[in-house]
Amino acid sequence: MSTATIARLKPYLVQLEKGKSYFWCACGLSKKQPFCDGSHKVTEFLPLKWVAEQTGEKLLCACKHTKAQPFCDGSHNSLSDTYAEAGEADGVGVVLVDYVAGEGGALKAKLDNGCYVIRVPESALSTLGTMKIYPVIGVVDGAKNLSQYQAVVATGQSPVLSYPGSDVVLFIVSGQGTVNIGHRAFPVSAESGVCIKPGEGFQITNKDAEPIAMNISVCPPCATPETLEQMPQVFDTSIPDRVQGVDESKQEAMADRFFQVLIGDKTHGTPVSQFIGEIPQSRAAHHRHLYEETITILSGEGFMWTDETKTPVKPGDTIFLPLKQAHSLECTSPDGMRLIGLFYPSMSPSINY
Ligand code: FES
């Protein structure tokens, strides 16, 4: 069979109506993308008829190479050797935003539409036993689906924590130790993701002099963790493996960049997706996602861009991206930029529009 024509290299966002039939263009020739206009008649392709299961917005494939027809599965990103880059005109009129000191000395750069970058010095963290913690993203910041905390655990044991009713995902930024979940001990080290199910408690043990620095992401958002007297007996045995580190065999290419999902629905049965990625010195074209997202810079420097604003970013900074926020992350470091991203609900990080 011949290859379908690429209508364009990113999907179409369309509003669908539950129970209604649609015809998705499979040949790529339709002038009414992403739907069929009869142009396939000169090809061997047939349109795909399907009935929408829900009313709402969906991203329909326009590159015609998806393996999840008619929906975009991110395949469009691997059809080119280079990621779509921003043009000169994209920077015209964009305002450089400064960081402003807020609560406890945390610095925040407020970009468009509730998007922001936060830079939290350790002195701003509140003490919770051997742990120090700061809420970098929460409902008060405009987040609807996720919250995130920056935390540091000194030598010893953290309190037993629980975020009732929420899925919790940890990312160990530096240090090493053990995470106890429901009386099971999981060794962790830098660049590990950890999955904790709703109703479970967790406790960090650090036997080293070096503190453990980590992100605690909580979906749906939860304003404050509960500190418990004892570890609950709750442990979801259907997901026995809870830790995933960097594994080159699990990395997925996206043109000249890559990502690896550490925690997600396929690996850990959680609606939260956590991924680690690396981008080369470049500035991607603006794109959007159908989810709220948080990104923490692990190495490398650059700028976070939105339509009207931009601000410099460096290791340790956390970015909050509201739903559908147009954005791009520019890496100015010759050695590239490494980052950890997290979004909710779960899907492939390569699905963008
Ligand atoms: S547009 Fe085809 S997979 Fe995304």
Side-chain angles (χ1 to χ4, degrees), residues 101-149:
E103 201 177 326
L107 298 171
K108 202 176 208 182
K110 293 185 179 177
L111 304 176
D112 295 332
N113 306 320
C115 176
Y116 64 85
V117 185
I118 187 162
R119 188 172 282 177
V120 185
E122 202 171 323
S123 56
L125 276 61
S126 312
T127 301
L128 199 63
T130 60
M131 189 173 198
K132 290 187 167 186
I133 191 164
Y134 189 98
V136 287
I137 299 171
V139 173
V140 290
D141 302 299
K144 295 185 175 63
N145 295 320
L146 60 85
S147 51
Q148 184 162 294
Y149 300 79

Side-chain angles (χ1 to χ4, degrees), residues 185-224:
F186 297 91
V188 292
S189 54
E191 298 202 338
S192 308
V194 184
C195 168
I196 298 150
K197 299 291 201 171
E200 295 177 343
F202 65 99
Q203 183 176 38
I204 318 294
T205 302
N206 180 10
K207 291 188 174 160
D208 289 350
E210 185 194 349
I212 296 175
M214 61 182 183
N215 286 348
I216 305 174
S217 307
V218 185
C219 309
C222 186
T224 349

Side-chain angles (χ1 to χ4, degrees), residues 294-344:
T294 162
I295 295 171
T296 301
I297 310 296
L298 301 176
S299 68
E301 298 193 358
F303 290 88
M304 181 67 202
W305 293 72
T306 60
D307 282 332
E308 312 283 336
T309 55
K310 70 171 185 176
T311 199
V313 292
K314 64 179 188 177
D317 290 354
T318 293
I319 299 160
F320 170 62
L321 285 163
L323 189 77
K324 298 185 181 177
Q325 171 66 51
H327 66 279
S328 71
L329 192 49
E330 177 182 10
C331 167
T332 54
S333 299
D335 291 340
M337 178 183 277
R338 200 162 171 84
L339 54 90
I340 184 78
L342 182 136
F343 55 88
Y344 174 86

Side-chain angles (χ1 to χ4, degrees), residues 140-176:
V140 290
D141 302 299
K144 295 185 175 63
N145 295 320
L146 60 85
S147 51
Q148 184 162 294
Y149 300 79
Q150 185 173 319
V152 175
V153 180
T155 311
Q157 279 191 317
S158 76
V160 178
L161 298 179
S162 170
Y163 291 87
S166 293
D167 282 90
V168 177
V169 174
L170 311 181
F171 179 75
I172 309 299
V173 177
S174 60
Q176 58 178 10

Side-chain angles (χ1 to χ4, degrees), residues 8-11 60-66 71-76:
R8 71 174 191 179
L9 277 172
K10 56 182 182 177
L60 298 192
C61 172
C63 75
K64 313 302 174 187
H65 285 67
T66 177
F71 305 108
C72 170
D73 68 352
S75 295
H76 60 271

Side-chain angles (χ1 to χ4, degrees), residues 10-288:
K10 56 182 182 177
Y12 290 96
L13 180 68
V14 295
Q15 175 73 28
L16 301 177
E17 214 176 290
K18 183 179 176 181
K20 191 170 166 186
S21 296
Y22 297 89
F23 289 84
W24 173 73
C25 164
C27 68
L29 297 178
S30 170
K31 302 280 181 298
K32 289 187 182 168
Q33 292 293 336
F35 301 111
C36 173
D37 71 351
S39 299
H40 61 273
K41 287 181 186 134
V42 296
T43 74
E44 56 197 293
F45 289 91
L46 287 174
L48 175 80
K49 181 187 177 189
W50 94 104
V51 178
E53 290 176 2
Q54 286 175 342
T55 295
E57 291 180 321
K58 286 281 184 191
L59 290 171
L60 298 192
C61 172
C63 75
K64 313 302 174 187
H65 285 67
T66 177
K67 293 176 189 63
Q69 296 180 356
F71 305 108
C72 170
D73 68 352
S75 295
H76 60 271
N77 287 302
S78 33
L79 295 176
S80 166
D81 291 339
T82 51
Y83 203 70
E85 297 221 358
E88 279 300 307
D90 293 330
V92 175
V94 168
V95 175
L96 181 65
V97 174
D98 282 336
Y99 285 82
V100 175
E103 201 177 326
L107 298 171
K108 202 176 208 182
K110 293 185 179 177
L111 304 176
D112 295 332
N113 306 320
C115 176
Y116 64 85
V117 185
I118 187 162
R119 188 172 282 177
V120 185
E122 202 171 323
S123 56
L125 276 61
S126 312
T127 301
L128 199 63
T130 60
M131 189 173 198
K132 290 187 167 186
I133 191 164
Y134 189 98
V136 287
I137 299 171
V139 173
V140 290
D141 302 299
K144 295 185 175 63
N145 295 320
L146 60 85
S147 51
Q148 184 162 294
Y149 300 79
Q150 185 173 319
V152 175
V153 180
T155 311
Q157 279 191 317
S158 76
V160 178
L161 298 179
S162 170
Y163 291 87
S166 293
D167 282 90
V168 177
V169 174
L170 311 181
F171 179 75
I172 309 299
V173 177
S174 60
Q176 58 178 10
T178 308
V179 180
N180 185 320
I181 307 167
H183 299 282
R184 271 104 166 150
F186 297 91
V188 292
S189 54
E191 298 202 338
S192 308
V194 184
C195 168
I196 298 150
K197 299 291 201 171
E200 295 177 343
F202 65 99
Q203 183 176 38
I204 318 294
T205 302
N206 180 10
K207 291 188 174 160
D208 289 350
E210 185 194 349
I212 296 175
M214 61 182 183
N215 286 348
I216 305 174
S217 307
V218 185
C219 309
C222 186
T224 349
E226 278 185 5
T227 52
L228 308 175
E229 293 289 315
Q230 289 185 331
M231 175 66 69
Q233 290 293 343
V234 183
F235 184 85
D236 182 348
T237 52
S238 69
I239 310 288
D241 295 330
R242 298 305 186 87
V243 178
Q244 177 64 58
V246 173
D247 179 345
E248 281 185 19
S249 70
K250 293 183 175 164
Q251 289 174 357
E252 296 176 51
M254 216 163 61
D256 52 358
R257 45 193 70 201
F258 80 83
F259 68 90
Q260 180 195 339
V261 174
L262 297 176
I263 305 291
D265 56 349
K266 292 196 183 112
T267 53
H268 297 86
T270 170
V272 185
S273 284
Q274 181 196 58
F275 67 94
I276 189 162
E278 206 164 281
I279 59 177
Q281 186 177 24
S282 61
R283 183 185 154 208
H286 277 200
H287 59 274
R288 302 164 194 260

